[in-house]
Amino acid sequence: MKYFIQITLITYIATMLVYTLWANITFAYPDKGWIGSLVYLPHGCRVIFYCFFGARSLPALYLAEITGPTLVWGDQYLDYWVIASLSSLLSVVVAVEIVKWSRVSTFNYNILKKVNFANYKFLIFVIIISALFNSIFTNLILSMINGVEIGVEVIARFFLGDVFGSVVFITFLMILFNLLQQRRLYQVHDE
C-alpha cells in the first residue's frame, strides 16, 4: 500500500508539473493554443508512467488527465474531458498490450541505462501506436460530444504532437538522469 501511494504521488505531481510547463509555454501567446498540440508533453507522461509502473499509475494519470487541462481551459473543459481522458489512457494501455502480444520487443528496457535501440525499442513502438490510437479515438469521442467534425489534418496534428511530445519528454528525462548519474547523485547497477 505504501508503494502504491508513493507511485500515485510521484505520477500525479510529475504529470501536473508537465501540464503546467506545457500550458505556460503553449499559451504564452494569445490565439496560438493549437500550437500546443504539435508537441504534447503530457502524452510522454502517460507512456513513461504506465510502462514503468503499470496499472498502479492509472489512478494518478486519470486524476492528472481530468485536472491538468483545467489549468489551460478552465472548468468548461472538465465536463467532456472526463470521458475523453479515458480514451487517452486506454490508448497507452492497449498499445502496451499490442507490443507485448506481438513480441516485437522485450519488456526489459530502463531509462536509467545508456541509450541504445535494444533498450528503447519497446518504448518507441508504444509511443507510435498509442499516439495513433489517441489521435483517432480521443478526437472521435470529442467530436461526438461537441458535435464538431474533425478532419484528417487535426488527427495528423495530434498524432505528430503526441509522438514529438513523448520524444521531447523522454529525451529530457534521459539527459536529466545521465546528468544525475555523472554527478553521482544516484547509482545505476547495470546487469
Side-chain angles (χ1 to χ4, degrees), residues 84-141:
S85 61
L86 287 174
S87 172
S88 296
L89 290 176
L90 281 175
S91 67
V92 177
V93 173
V94 170
V96 166
E97 293 304 316
I98 286 174
V99 174
K100 282 183 184 178
W101 174 77
S102 69
R103 297 183 187 192
V104 171
S105 176
T106 58
F107 193 65
N108 61 356
Y109 63 91
N110 189 342
I111 200 164
L112 302 175
K113 292 183 180 179
K114 292 189 178 190
V115 179
N116 64 40
F117 187 70
N119 289 341
Y120 289 91
K121 192 186 321 180
F122 182 87
L123 202 56
I124 291 168
F125 287 132
V126 169
I127 288 170
I128 292 170
I129 293 170
S130 66
L132 181 65
F133 287 161
N134 186 46
S135 64
I136 293 171
F137 296 117
T138 303
N139 279 312
L140 181 65
I141 289 170

Side-chain angles (χ1 to χ4, degrees), residues 19-76:
Y19 263 113
T20 304
L21 174 70
W22 173 78
N24 286 332
I25 293 170
T26 300
F27 296 97
Y29 305 101
D31 299 329
K32 301 289 185 194
W34 65 271
I35 293 174
S37 64
L38 294 176
V39 180
Y40 190 66
L41 297 175
H43 188 70
C45 289
R46 290 181 206 139
V47 171
I48 284 293
F49 290 124
Y50 184 74
C51 285
F52 280 100
F53 299 132
R56 295 179 301 246
S57 67
L58 289 176
L61 285 172
Y62 182 69
L63 185 61
E65 284 284 327
I66 61 174
T67 58
T70 58
L71 292 171
V72 181
W73 291 283
D75 291 338
Q76 80 276 4

